[in-house]
CSV table of all heavy atoms in Angstrom, one decimal:
chain,number,residue,atom,x,y,z
A,1,SER,N,0.8,-1.2,0.0
A,1,SER,CA,0.0,0.0,0.0
A,1,SER,C,0.9,1.3,0.0
A,1,SER,O,2.1,1.2,0.3
A,1,SER,CB,-0.9,0.0,1.2
A,1,SER,OG,-0.2,0.0,2.4
A,2,VAL,N,0.3,2.4,-0.4
A,2,VAL,CA,1.0,3.6,-0.4
A,2,VAL,C,0.4,4.6,0.7
A,2,VAL,O,-0.8,4.8,0.8
A,2,VAL,CB,0.9,4.3,-1.8
A,2,VAL,CG1,1.6,5.7,-1.8
A,2,VAL,CG2,1.5,3.4,-2.8
A,3,ILE,N,1.3,5.1,1.5
A,3,ILE,CA,0.9,6.0,2.6
A,3,ILE,C,1.7,7.3,2.6
A,3,ILE,O,2.8,7.3,2.0
A,3,ILE,CB,1.0,5.4,4.0
A,3,ILE,CG1,2.4,5.0,4.3
A,3,ILE,CG2,0.1,4.1,4.1
A,3,ILE,CD1,2.6,4.6,5.7
A,4,ALA,N,1.2,8.3,3.2
A,4,ALA,CA,1.9,9.6,3.3
A,4,ALA,C,2.7,9.5,4.6
A,4,ALA,O,2.2,9.3,5.7
A,4,ALA,CB,0.9,10.7,3.4
A,5,ILE,N,4.0,9.7,4.4
A,5,ILE,CA,5.0,9.7,5.6
A,5,ILE,C,5.4,11.1,5.9
A,5,ILE,O,6.0,11.8,5.0
A,5,ILE,CB,6.2,8.8,5.3
A,5,ILE,CG1,5.8,7.3,5.1
A,5,ILE,CG2,7.2,8.9,6.4
A,5,ILE,CD1,5.3,6.7,6.3
A,6,LYS,N,5.1,11.5,7.1
A,6,LYS,CA,5.6,12.8,7.5
A,6,LYS,C,6.6,12.6,8.7
A,6,LYS,O,6.2,12.1,9.7
A,6,LYS,CB,4.4,13.7,8.0
A,6,LYS,CG,4.7,15.0,8.5
A,6,LYS,CD,3.5,15.8,9.0
A,6,LYS,CE,3.8,17.1,9.6
A,6,LYS,NZ,2.6,17.8,10.1
A,7,GLU,N,7.8,13.1,8.5
A,7,GLU,CA,8.8,13.0,9.5
A,7,GLU,C,8.6,14.2,10.5
A,7,GLU,O,8.9,15.4,10.0
A,7,GLU,CB,10.2,13.0,8.9
A,7,GLU,CG,10.6,11.6,8.4
A,7,GLU,CD,12.1,11.5,8.2
A,7,GLU,OE1,12.8,12.5,8.3
A,7,GLU,OE2,12.5,10.4,7.9
A,8,ASN,N,8.2,14.0,11.7
A,8,ASN,CA,8.2,15.0,12.7
A,8,ASN,C,9.5,14.9,13.5
A,8,ASN,O,9.8,13.9,14.2
A,8,ASN,CB,7.0,14.8,13.7
A,8,ASN,CG,5.7,14.9,12.9
A,8,ASN,OD1,5.2,15.9,12.7
A,8,ASN,ND2,5.1,13.7,12.6
A,9,VAL,N,10.4,15.9,13.3
A,9,VAL,CA,11.8,15.8,13.8
A,9,VAL,C,11.9,16.8,15.0
A,9,VAL,O,11.5,18.0,14.8
A,9,VAL,CB,12.8,16.1,12.7
A,9,VAL,CG1,14.2,15.9,13.3
A,9,VAL,CG2,12.6,15.2,11.5
A,10,PHE,N,12.5,16.3,16.1
A,10,PHE,CA,12.7,17.2,17.3
A,10,PHE,C,14.2,17.1,17.6
A,10,PHE,O,14.7,16.0,17.8
A,10,PHE,CB,11.9,16.6,18.4
A,10,PHE,CG,10.4,16.6,18.2
A,10,PHE,CD1,9.8,15.6,17.5
A,10,PHE,CD2,9.5,17.6,18.7
A,10,PHE,CE1,8.4,15.5,17.3
A,10,PHE,CE2,8.2,17.5,18.5
A,10,PHE,CZ,7.6,16.5,17.8
A,11,TYR,N,14.8,18.2,17.7
A,11,TYR,CA,16.3,18.3,18.0
A,11,TYR,C,16.5,18.8,19.4
A,11,TYR,O,15.6,19.6,19.9
A,11,TYR,CB,17.0,19.2,17.1
A,11,TYR,CG,17.1,18.7,15.6
A,11,TYR,CD1,16.2,19.1,14.7
A,11,TYR,CD2,18.2,17.9,15.3
A,11,TYR,CE1,16.3,18.7,13.4
A,11,TYR,CE2,18.3,17.5,13.9
A,11,TYR,CZ,17.3,17.9,13.0
A,11,TYR,OH,17.4,17.4,11.7
A,12,ASP,N,17.6,18.4,20.0
A,12,ASP,CA,18.0,19.0,21.3
A,12,ASP,C,18.6,20.4,21.0
A,12,ASP,O,18.8,20.8,19.8
A,12,ASP,CB,18.9,18.1,22.1
A,12,ASP,CG,20.3,17.9,21.5
A,12,ASP,OD1,20.5,18.5,20.4
A,12,ASP,OD2,21.1,17.2,22.1
A,13,GLU,N,19.0,21.1,22.0
A,13,GLU,CA,19.5,22.5,21.8
A,13,GLU,C,20.8,22.6,21.0
A,13,GLU,O,21.0,23.6,20.3
A,13,GLU,CB,19.6,23.2,23.1
A,13,GLU,CG,20.6,22.6,24.1
A,13,GLU,CD,20.7,23.3,25.4
A,13,GLU,OE1,19.9,24.2,25.7
A,13,GLU,OE2,21.6,22.9,26.2
A,14,ASN,N,21.5,21.5,21.0
A,14,ASN,CA,22.8,21.5,20.2
A,14,ASN,C,22.6,20.9,18.8
A,14,ASN,O,23.6,20.8,18.1
A,14,ASN,CB,23.9,20.7,21.0
A,14,ASN,CG,24.2,21.4,22.3
A,14,ASN,OD1,24.4,22.6,22.4
A,14,ASN,ND2,24.3,20.6,23.4
A,15,ARG,N,21.4,20.4,18.6
A,15,ARG,CA,21.1,19.8,17.3
A,15,ARG,C,22.0,18.6,17.0
A,15,ARG,O,22.2,18.3,15.8
A,15,ARG,CB,21.2,20.8,16.1
A,15,ARG,CG,20.2,22.0,16.3
A,15,ARG,CD,20.3,23.0,15.2
A,15,ARG,NE,19.6,22.4,14.0
A,15,ARG,CZ,18.3,22.5,13.7
A,15,ARG,NH1,17.5,23.1,14.6
A,15,ARG,NH2,17.8,21.9,12.6
A,16,LYS,N,22.5,18.0,18.0
A,16,LYS,CA,23.3,16.8,17.8
A,16,LYS,C,22.5,15.5,18.0
A,16,LYS,O,22.8,14.4,17.5
A,16,LYS,CB,24.5,16.7,18.9
A,16,LYS,CG,25.5,17.9,18.7
A,16,LYS,CD,26.3,17.6,17.4
A,16,LYS,CE,27.4,18.6,17.3
A,16,LYS,NZ,28.2,18.5,16.1
A,17,ASN,N,21.4,15.6,18.8
A,17,ASN,CA,20.6,14.5,19.1
A,17,ASN,C,19.1,14.8,18.7
A,17,ASN,O,18.7,16.0,18.7
A,17,ASN,CB,20.6,14.1,20.6
A,17,ASN,CG,22.0,13.9,21.1
A,17,ASN,OD1,22.8,13.4,20.4
A,17,ASN,ND2,22.2,14.3,22.3
A,18,ARG,N,18.4,13.8,18.2
A,18,ARG,CA,17.1,14.1,17.7
A,18,ARG,C,16.1,12.9,18.0
A,18,ARG,O,16.5,11.7,18.2
A,18,ARG,CB,17.1,14.3,16.2
A,18,ARG,CG,17.6,13.2,15.4
A,18,ARG,CD,17.6,13.5,13.9
A,18,ARG,NE,18.0,12.3,13.2
A,18,ARG,CZ,17.7,12.0,11.9
A,18,ARG,NH1,16.9,12.8,11.3
A,18,ARG,NH2,18.1,10.9,11.3
A,19,VAL,N,14.8,13.2,18.0
A,19,VAL,CA,13.8,12.2,18.0
A,19,VAL,C,13.0,12.4,16.7
A,19,VAL,O,12.7,13.5,16.3
A,19,VAL,CB,12.8,12.4,19.2
A,19,VAL,CG1,11.5,11.6,19.0
A,19,VAL,CG2,13.5,12.1,20.5
A,20,VAL,N,12.7,11.3,16.0
A,20,VAL,CA,12.0,11.3,14.8
A,20,VAL,C,10.7,10.4,14.9
A,20,VAL,O,10.9,9.3,15.4
A,20,VAL,CB,12.8,10.8,13.6
A,20,VAL,CG1,12.0,10.9,12.3
A,20,VAL,CG2,14.1,11.7,13.4
A,21,LEU,N,9.6,11.0,14.6
A,21,LEU,CA,8.3,10.2,14.7
A,21,LEU,C,7.6,10.3,13.4
A,21,LEU,O,7.4,11.4,12.8
A,21,LEU,CB,7.5,10.9,15.8
A,21,LEU,CG,6.2,10.1,16.2
A,21,LEU,CD1,6.4,8.7,16.6
A,21,LEU,CD2,5.4,10.9,17.3
A,22,THR,N,7.3,9.1,12.8
A,22,THR,CA,6.6,9.0,11.5
A,22,THR,C,5.4,8.1,11.7
A,22,THR,O,5.3,7.5,12.8
A,22,THR,CB,7.5,8.5,10.4
A,22,THR,OG1,7.6,7.0,10.6
A,22,THR,CG2,8.9,9.1,10.5
A,23,PRO,N,4.6,7.9,10.8
A,23,PRO,CA,3.5,7.0,10.9
A,23,PRO,C,3.9,5.5,11.1
A,23,PRO,O,3.1,4.7,11.5
A,23,PRO,CB,2.7,7.1,9.6
A,23,PRO,CG,3.0,8.5,9.2
A,23,PRO,CD,4.4,8.8,9.5
A,24,THR,N,5.2,5.2,10.7
A,24,THR,CA,5.7,3.8,10.8
A,24,THR,C,6.7,3.6,11.9
A,24,THR,O,7.0,2.4,12.1
A,24,THR,CB,6.3,3.4,9.4
A,24,THR,OG1,7.3,4.3,9.1
A,24,THR,CG2,5.2,3.5,8.3
A,25,ALA,N,7.2,4.6,12.5
A,25,ALA,CA,8.3,4.3,13.5
A,25,ALA,C,8.6,5.5,14.4
A,25,ALA,O,8.3,6.7,14.1
A,25,ALA,CB,9.6,4.0,12.8
A,26,LEU,N,9.1,5.2,15.6
A,26,LEU,CA,9.7,6.2,16.5
A,26,LEU,C,11.1,5.9,16.7
A,26,LEU,O,11.5,4.7,17.0
A,26,LEU,CB,9.0,6.2,17.8
A,26,LEU,CG,9.7,6.8,19.0
A,26,LEU,CD1,9.7,8.3,18.9
A,26,LEU,CD2,9.0,6.4,20.3
A,27,PHE,N,12.0,6.8,16.5
A,27,PHE,CA,13.4,6.5,16.8
A,27,PHE,C,14.1,7.7,17.4
A,27,PHE,O,13.8,8.9,17.1
A,27,PHE,CB,14.2,5.9,15.6
A,27,PHE,CG,14.4,6.8,14.5
A,27,PHE,CD1,15.6,7.6,14.4
A,27,PHE,CD2,13.5,6.9,13.4
A,27,PHE,CE1,15.8,8.4,13.3
A,27,PHE,CE2,13.8,7.7,12.3
A,27,PHE,CZ,14.9,8.5,12.3
A,28,MET,N,15.1,7.4,18.3
A,28,MET,CA,16.0,8.5,18.9
A,28,MET,C,17.4,8.2,18.4
A,28,MET,O,17.9,7.1,18.4
A,28,MET,CB,15.9,8.3,20.4
A,28,MET,CG,16.6,9.4,21.2
A,28,MET,SD,16.4,9.3,23.0
A,28,MET,CE,14.7,9.8,23.1
A,29,ASP,N,18.0,9.3,17.9
A,29,ASP,CA,19.3,9.2,17.2
A,29,ASP,C,20.3,10.2,17.9
A,29,ASP,O,20.1,11.4,17.9
A,29,ASP,CB,19.1,9.6,15.8
A,29,ASP,CG,20.4,9.5,15.0
A,29,ASP,OD1,21.3,8.9,15.4
A,29,ASP,OD2,20.4,10.1,13.9
A,30,TYR,N,21.3,9.6,18.6
A,30,TYR,CA,22.3,10.4,19.3
A,30,TYR,C,23.6,10.5,18.6
A,30,TYR,O,24.2,9.4,18.3
A,30,TYR,CB,22.6,9.7,20.7
A,30,TYR,CG,21.5,9.9,21.8
A,30,TYR,CD1,20.4,9.1,21.9
A,30,TYR,CD2,21.6,11.0,22.7
A,30,TYR,CE1,19.5,9.2,22.9
A,30,TYR,CE2,20.7,11.1,23.7
A,30,TYR,CZ,19.6,10.3,23.8
A,30,TYR,OH,18.7,10.4,24.7
A,31,LYS,N,24.0,11.7,18.3
A,31,LYS,CA,25.4,11.9,17.8
A,31,LYS,C,26.3,12.4,18.9
A,31,LYS,O,27.5,12.4,18.7
A,31,LYS,CB,25.3,12.9,16.6
A,31,LYS,CG,24.5,12.4,15.4
A,31,LYS,CD,25.2,11.3,14.7
A,31,LYS,CE,24.4,10.8,13.5
A,31,LYS,NZ,24.1,11.8,12.5
A,32,ASN,N,25.7,12.8,20.0
A,32,ASN,CA,26.4,13.3,21.1
A,32,ASN,C,25.9,12.5,22.4
A,32,ASN,O,25.1,13.0,23.1
A,32,ASN,CB,26.2,14.8,21.3
A,32,ASN,CG,27.0,15.4,22.5
A,32,ASN,OD1,28.0,14.8,22.9
A,32,ASN,ND2,26.6,16.5,23.1
A,33,TYR,N,26.3,11.3,22.5
A,33,TYR,CA,25.8,10.4,23.5
A,33,TYR,C,26.6,10.5,24.8
A,33,TYR,O,27.9,10.6,24.7
A,33,TYR,CB,26.0,8.9,23.0
A,33,TYR,CG,25.6,7.8,23.9
A,33,TYR,CD1,24.3,7.4,24.1
A,33,TYR,CD2,26.6,7.2,24.7
A,33,TYR,CE1,24.0,6.4,24.9
A,33,TYR,CE2,26.3,6.2,25.6
A,33,TYR,CZ,24.9,5.7,25.7
A,33,TYR,OH,24.6,4.7,26.5
A,34,THR,N,25.9,10.6,25.9
A,34,THR,CA,26.6,10.7,27.2
A,34,THR,C,26.5,9.5,28.1
A,34,THR,O,27.5,9.1,28.6
A,34,THR,CB,26.1,11.9,27.9
A,34,THR,OG1,24.6,11.9,28.0
A,34,THR,CG2,26.5,13.2,27.2
């Protein structure tokens, strides 16, 4: 099937880490992991 995917992207204040929420997935991506 074909669906509309909208990436809702949320960055931290340094824009190194982000949360991405789409109709098919939630993921957290750290480039500055502590």
Side-chain angles (χ1 to χ4, degrees):
S1 61
V2 177
I3 62 171
I5 296 291
K6 178 182 178 181
E7 283 197 350
N8 298 279
V9 185
F10 302 79
Y11 291 94
D12 67 0
E13 59 183 8
N14 296 317
R15 301 182 72 87
K16 294 290 187 181
N17 305 324
R18 62 178 181 153
V19 169
V20 179
L21 186 59
T22 78
T24 59
L26 162 71
F27 66 90
M28 185 177 289
D29 180 17
Y30 283 86
K31 297 290 177 59
N32 184 24
Y33 177 85
T34 50

